[in-house]
Amino acid sequence: MSVQIGNIDLGDFPLLLAPMEDVSDPPFRYVCKQNGADMMYTEFISSEGLIRDAAKSRQKLDIFEYERPIGIQIFGSDIDHMREATEIATLAKPDLMDINYGCPVKQVACRGAGASLLQDIDKMVAMTSAVVKATHLPVTVKTRLGWDDNTKNVYEVAERLQDVGIKALTIHGRTRAQMYKGEADWRLIREIRKNPRIQIPIFGNGDIDSPQKAAAWRMEYEVDGMMIGRAAIGYPWIFREIKHYFKTGEQLAPPTIAERVDVCRAHLEKSVQWKGPKTGIFEMRRHYSNYFKGVDHFKEFRMKLVSALTIEDVNALLDEVADHYSEAMA
């Protein structure tokens, strides 16, 4: 059976790209979509920023037809501001709206937003209801198991948010207190998925970093789909590798140096198109080491890439990388 969010058909077991601050911008989303991501989200956007018309927040509303289906994710601590931000974001014509109740970082959670709402479920429910009523789009939520080990309340959260109209729920298998440390625990996610009251899709998130683990956890935890975050950074091939493994039981060969160069170049070109040459080239610098992670003796090339000032220089260096490693393997 296909997984549905409202009228969005995501196929029988969708792989979602997680919204990641300073990572999942349109250039990064482009290369993930090209490699099999079924649905994606914007970076999370501050409701306060949208209301103030802050340039950075407004720019995050940019979405492109090739990205669909795509959701805009918002966060905030004030219910009325979240309602107003939803109305603004809806005008950007995404396919759905998503609320972030999972971000654990101090500057978000300690200001009453993100995972902080796990400490006040009544407010979370009221905020979610306000967002649902403020848009004609399906509304989804991303959250965590709870605030800490003593308050793993996501079972109640799932029921109550479904009752006020959300159409899907993604659960990261850690508490806020864990941040990104330790191992994700999906057992409670499975309990929620098996709860007969729950009729909406439940997606699991946390620690999916290989096709083998994805296949094993798909069987063990019985979720409707998976959201992948950190494993896709510098490795958008994770989506196609998981899908191939689901279909055949076989591991795809890893990307060649030529493929790494091609995808890195595509990411660079989209970055420059969207952000302009100066910012686009500067912000790509954080991605080079990820794209070529594990490649022997890459440090010298990386140092040159992060020093390059023009797209022509970067492309010339990428050509050098392709030539050098093709000769080394010949």
Side-chain angles (χ1 to χ4, degrees):
M1 283 179 59
S2 284
V3 175
Q4 299 274 145
I5 298 179
N7 61 359
I8 305 167
D9 187 332
L10 294 174
D12 64 345
F13 193 85
L15 301 178
L16 286 56
L17 173 66
M20 294 177 282
E21 177 69 354
D22 292 329
V23 176
S24 50
D25 58 12
F28 179 72
R29 298 198 301 261
Y30 175 80
V31 296
C32 289
K33 187 70 173 181
Q34 293 294 105
N35 282 281
D38 293 303
M39 189 166 76
M40 307 185 294
Y41 299 82
T42 62
E43 301 170 78
F44 70 177
I45 306 175
S46 162
S47 58
E48 307 294 331
L50 284 183
I51 292 168
R52 291 197 316 270
D53 203 23
K56 186 175 182 183
S57 296
R58 285 283 180 169
Q59 187 183 35
K60 289 180 182 179
L61 292 176
D62 287 354
I63 55 178
F64 299 90
E65 285 303 310
Y66 61 76
E67 299 183 286
R68 297 190 185 280
I70 185 165
I72 289 176
Q73 188 187 73
I74 58 173
F75 74 98
S77 60
D78 183 278
I79 293 174
D80 287 334
H81 290 177
M82 283 289 281
R83 180 189 296 113
E84 191 175 342
T86 300
E87 293 170 352
I88 294 167
T90 299
L91 296 175
K93 299 183 179 177
D95 298 288
L96 58 86
M97 291 295 306
D98 187 77
I99 310 172
N100 182 314
Y101 294 137
C103 182
V105 299
K106 189 178 294 185
Q107 53 265 48
V108 173
C110 292
R111 293 179 180 172
S116 174
L117 275 299
L118 286 161
Q119 299 177 101
D120 189 347
I121 299 179
D122 288 344
K123 182 177 179 181
M124 181 195 284
V125 171
M127 182 178 287
T128 305
S129 179
V131 169
V132 169
K133 290 172 182 173
T135 182
H136 66 282
L137 298 167
V139 174
T140 62
V141 162
K142 184 168 189 276
T143 190
R144 288 179 169 239
L145 301 179
W147 181 255
D148 56 29
D149 283 342
N150 298 317
T151 55
K152 289 184 177 178
N153 49 15
V154 71
Y155 196 93
E156 177 189 353
V157 165
E159 290 189 344
R160 293 185 65 183
L161 296 190
Q162 177 182 261
D163 289 347
V164 295
I166 71 166
K167 300 303 182 186
L169 177 66
T170 299
I171 304 167
H172 182 101
R174 290 181 173 86
T175 63
R176 187 272 169 176
Q178 284 180 274
M179 302 292 285
Y180 295 99
K181 297 174 183 174
E183 293 183 359
D185 182 355
W186 285 40
R187 290 173 296 176
L188 190 49
I189 304 175
R190 178 177 55 204
E191 286 182 35
I192 293 165
R193 179 62 187 83
K194 296 177 83 168
N195 177 356
R197 270 207 65 201
I198 296 297
Q199 301 299 314
I200 59 174
I202 301 295
F203 302 124
N205 173 230
D207 293 355
I208 295 298
D209 56 11
S210 72
Q212 293 83 357
K213 184 183 284 187
W217 286 19
R218 178 182 182 178
M219 295 293 291
E220 183 174 358
Y221 298 112
E222 303 176 47
V223 290
D224 295 293
M226 292 174 173
M227 180 178 281
I228 297 168
R230 289 173 293 167
I233 298 175
Y235 204 84
W237 303 278
I238 186 78
F239 298 100
R240 76 173 189 188
E241 289 183 2
I242 290 173
K243 288 183 172 183
H244 183 81
Y245 194 85
F246 284 170
K247 193 173 181 179
T248 68
E250 297 175 356
Q251 173 77 49
L252 265 182
T256 63
I257 293 295
E259 286 179 293
R260 290 173 187 261
V261 166
D262 286 346
V263 171
C264 184
R265 201 190 305 274
H267 191 163
L268 170 68
E269 288 172 358
K270 290 292 183 184
S271 185
V272 169
Q273 286 172 16
W274 187 56
K275 303 172 186 177
K278 186 176 179 181
T279 304
I281 290 167
F282 178 76
E283 294 193 355
M284 266 302 291
R285 291 175 178 175
R286 68 173 78 117
H287 295 286
Y288 297 129
S289 59
N290 291 317
Y291 274 118
F292 297 98
K293 188 176 181 180
V295 175
D296 290 339
H297 312 300
F298 190 74
K299 183 178 180 181
E300 185 179 338
F301 284 113
R302 183 179 65 81
M303 297 301 290
K304 290 179 180 178
L305 284 164
V306 299
S307 303
L309 299 176
T310 70
I311 190 167
E312 291 80 12
D313 289 344
V314 177
N315 277 322
L317 285 165
L318 290 174
D319 288 338
E320 277 188 46
V321 170
D323 291 342
H324 174 81
Y325 288 97
S326 65
E327 289 171 7
M329 291 183 230

